[in-house]
Amino acid sequence: MEAPSRPVGFALHPSWVIVLAGVCAALHVGKLPPALPDLQATLDISLVQASFLISALQIAGMTLGLAVGLAADGMGLRRSILMGLALLAFASACGGFVSTVSSMLWLRTLEGVGFLLVVMPAPALIRLTVTSEQLNTRMGWWGTYMPGGSALALLCGPWMIVEVGWQVWWWLLAIVSVFAWLAVWWCVPIVPRASAHSDDAWTNRLALTLKTPGAWWVAMAFAVYSSQWMAVIGFLPTVYGEMGLSVSTTGLLTAFVALVNVVGNIFSGRLLQRGWTARTVLIFGYAS
């Protein structure tokens, strides 16, 4: 890896900045569930429509993930993260002005693309900024980006929405994304792209990916996990609200459920560092 093109202005290691960028992206996943009651009242949406809004980012990942991955590979890892954070900031800023469900759905889809541009190249970029001894532990911390960011949004969202409204909550997260963009731009070095060989065309990489059984198994394994995650976390604030719990209690309880995942991610990184195989850790996790 070549030296950064500009001096690193902060003491924070580039890999930690990448993790924080992932947390910022996950904030946009977790910002919607606390706002559902207000969105139902403001935009007159049903629970079925709400489920589409919640899953818009996942639908974008399912349908556009491969294309975004190829694009990120071509444009460069750091540039992909910067573009993703810019899309998240733009879509979230526009979201505070919408008055229809369709407009919100389109913006959530755009946020889904931005989310993918941030999180897909992040692990590869982390690999290039840490030593081999640090890799498993740092990747364990990277695994906390989704539960960590979601928990933070679920904890702060209800309070912010009650105090200033969901529109300001959307705008605030747009500002957070701008700060994350600046942190990545300043702290993360430019990693040279691999040389483009004639046999490394995107069609060849696509065919290789689709023909690799391991890629399909990993996708299925993650689908099992993420489907449970979104089904529970996405509607948990609504369920708590229907049970008559206060906004503050709802935020705390939902955030706690999300934070439990942080413990599992960090613990799995430690286990891998101590010599456990990924297969063993996965079996242990699914059994639990």
Side-chain angles (χ1 to χ4, degrees):
M1 176 178 170
E2 296 182 0
S5 61
R6 63 177 64 85
V8 177
F10 305 105
L12 198 60
H13 193 275
S15 62
W16 291 120
V17 176
I18 297 167
V19 172
L20 291 176
V23 171
C24 174
L27 284 171
H28 293 275
V29 178
K31 72 181 179 183
L32 187 66
L36 275 183
D38 287 69
L39 289 174
Q40 286 180 278
T42 305
L43 304 181
D44 191 28
I45 64 176
S46 65
L47 283 178
V48 175
Q49 291 172 317
S51 68
F52 276 98
L53 289 176
I54 290 176
S55 60
L57 272 72
Q58 282 66 37
I59 293 173
M62 182 177 65
T63 57
L64 303 174
L66 195 56
V68 172
L70 288 169
D73 202 20
M75 75 176 68
L77 304 176
R78 177 177 175 272
R79 185 178 298 174
S80 173
I81 294 177
L82 289 172
M83 185 175 295
L85 289 170
L87 277 178
L88 288 170
F90 172 77
S92 192
C94 294
F97 296 101
V98 302
S99 57
T100 64
V101 180
S102 59
S103 299
M104 178 64 78
L105 185 58
W106 280 111
L107 288 172
R108 287 292 287 176
T109 303
L110 187 61
E111 287 180 354
V113 176
F115 176 82
L116 290 172
L117 286 170
V118 172
V119 303
M120 292 190 71
L125 194 53
I126 289 175
R127 286 175 180 271
L128 295 172
T129 59
V130 299
T131 63
S132 57
E133 292 78 15
Q134 297 173 314
L135 181 59
N136 284 332
T137 301
R138 201 58 51 87
M139 290 303 293
W141 278 100
W142 164 250
T144 67
Y145 83 91
M146 177 61 83
S150 299
L152 190 60
L154 293 166
L155 182 64
C156 300
W159 177 77
M160 288 293 300
I161 292 167
V162 168
E163 294 295 325
V164 296
W166 70 267
Q167 293 93 341
V168 177
W169 173 233
W170 253 242
W171 296 330
L172 177 63
L173 290 183
I175 295 173
V176 171
S177 298
V178 171
F179 280 110
W181 189 97
L182 292 171
V184 171
W185 179 81
W186 186 253
C187 296
V188 178
I190 297 175
V191 179
R193 281 180 290 176
S195 301
H197 300 291
S198 59
D199 60 346
D200 195 35
W202 70 268
T203 51
N204 294 332
R205 286 181 280 130
L206 176 60
L208 178 62
T209 302
L210 294 177
K211 290 189 297 185
T212 303
W216 290 98
W217 284 112
V218 170
M220 290 174 62
F222 188 74
V224 171
Y225 165 79
S226 60
S227 59
Q228 298 177 68
W229 167 265
M230 291 309 301
V232 175
I233 297 297
F235 286 104
L236 204 51
T238 302
V239 173
Y240 283 147
E242 291 178 351
M243 292 170 62
L245 299 180
S246 66
V247 171
S248 58
T249 303
T250 295
L252 285 172
L253 292 177
T254 311
F256 172 76
V257 175
L259 281 172
V260 170
N261 276 245
V262 174
V263 178
N265 279 279
I266 296 174
F267 188 55
S268 67
R270 293 293 181 89
L271 292 177
L272 291 170
Q273 190 71 27
R274 294 189 177 189
W276 285 46
T277 65
R279 177 188 176 91
T280 303
V281 174
L282 283 170
I283 291 174
F284 183 77
Y286 281 123
S288 299

